[in-house]
Amino acid sequence: MAPSTTSVTSTGDVTIGQAAAFAGVTVKTVRHYHQQGLLHEPPRDSSGYRRYGSADLLRLVQVRTLAAAGVPLAEIKPLLNADPDRFAAALVDVERRLTERITELTARRDTLRQLADGDRVLLPDRALAVLDRLTDLGFAPDYVAGQREALVLARALAPELFDLLLIQLGHRLADPEFADLTKRGWAARSWDPDDPRIDELASALADNLLANRELLAPPTDYRPGPDAATRYGLINHHLEDQTSTAWTRLNALVETKLRAAGVPIPYQ
């Protein structure tokens, strides 16, 4: 067998670079192990270099192996000093935590895969059916996109009202007059905010909603929290600052008329 070309001292000791290479880690990792108290710092030779013997390399390999297996560095030192029974029990606990971590990461991976399927990770099928209905009725894509975002917000900010909201939308979309008025309202974004047609449209929308007043009533057991008005505004006034003053005024007029009729709409 050809002699090794690796340069070591006559005692078999090696430099930190050689120790790192033999153990399959970096010099930075070896130094980090020193800082964590996992690896004894050997004395320096006459040239000022630390020299690592076989016992040091054995310890380094043990630390590296446990770290690579997922054992936290803070737990490695007690493990290396433990008796066989404690060592085995500790490894079982580490395995349990790793399994939990794997389960969590798998769930995250599945969520990322669902994101590739669009809204299905954010909204349930019954909400997607409402959005599909809007498209089937000929609502503009940007209106449908805005409603999609509002539903995502509603599910997150008012989960206790989300199912009721979907039921209300389902009933209203079955009313051709409501669909027509809503489309006209979306088209009104291009109007001048002082256009008298906005007042007329607001009255027509309010009257249509009040004709089915039962759909405007919250659940009997619903108790709004102190931030209910803020949550309502984030959902029902979503994108107002990105649309137009006319659209904002139309919404405000409709809300005013509904409040005047006794509908409990929060003030912003």
Side-chain angles (χ1 to χ4, degrees), residues 64-91:
R64 179 214 64 191
T65 302
L66 289 171
V71 179
L73 292 185
E75 299 178 21
I76 289 179
K77 188 173 182 179
L79 268 181
L80 291 176
N81 298 327
D83 59 49
D85 289 341
R86 286 178 55 203
F87 184 84
L91 287 186

Side-chain angles (χ1 to χ4, degrees), residues 148-200:
R148 178 184 297 109
E149 293 172 353
L151 286 176
V152 171
L153 287 171
R155 190 186 188 196
L157 301 178
E160 69 281 6
L161 298 176
F162 187 69
D163 286 335
L164 177 62
L165 173 61
L166 294 179
I167 292 173
Q168 293 173 341
L169 284 173
H171 281 289
R172 288 170 182 164
L173 292 178
D175 177 7
E177 181 186 21
F178 174 82
D180 180 65
L181 289 171
T182 304
K183 290 177 185 176
R184 288 173 56 195
W186 190 244
R189 292 173 301 151
S190 61
W191 297 357
D192 186 283
D194 295 323
D195 192 317
R197 290 178 297 171
I198 293 180
D199 295 84
E200 297 171 3

Side-chain angles (χ1 to χ4, degrees), residues 1 33 36 103 109 176 183 185 188 202-203 214 221 242 247:
M1 177 181 295
Y33 290 166
Q36 297 299 310
T103 301
R109 181 200 61 192
K183 290 177 185 176
S203 295
E214 67 279 3
D221 59 348
Q242 300 178 37
W247 174 255

Side-chain angles (χ1 to χ4, degrees), residues 27-44:
V27 170
K28 182 178 180 181
T29 297
V30 176
R31 287 177 175 150
H32 184 61
Y33 290 166
H34 285 320
Q35 292 171 358
Q36 297 299 310
L38 298 174
L39 188 64
H40 172 70
E41 291 191 48
R44 300 179 184 275

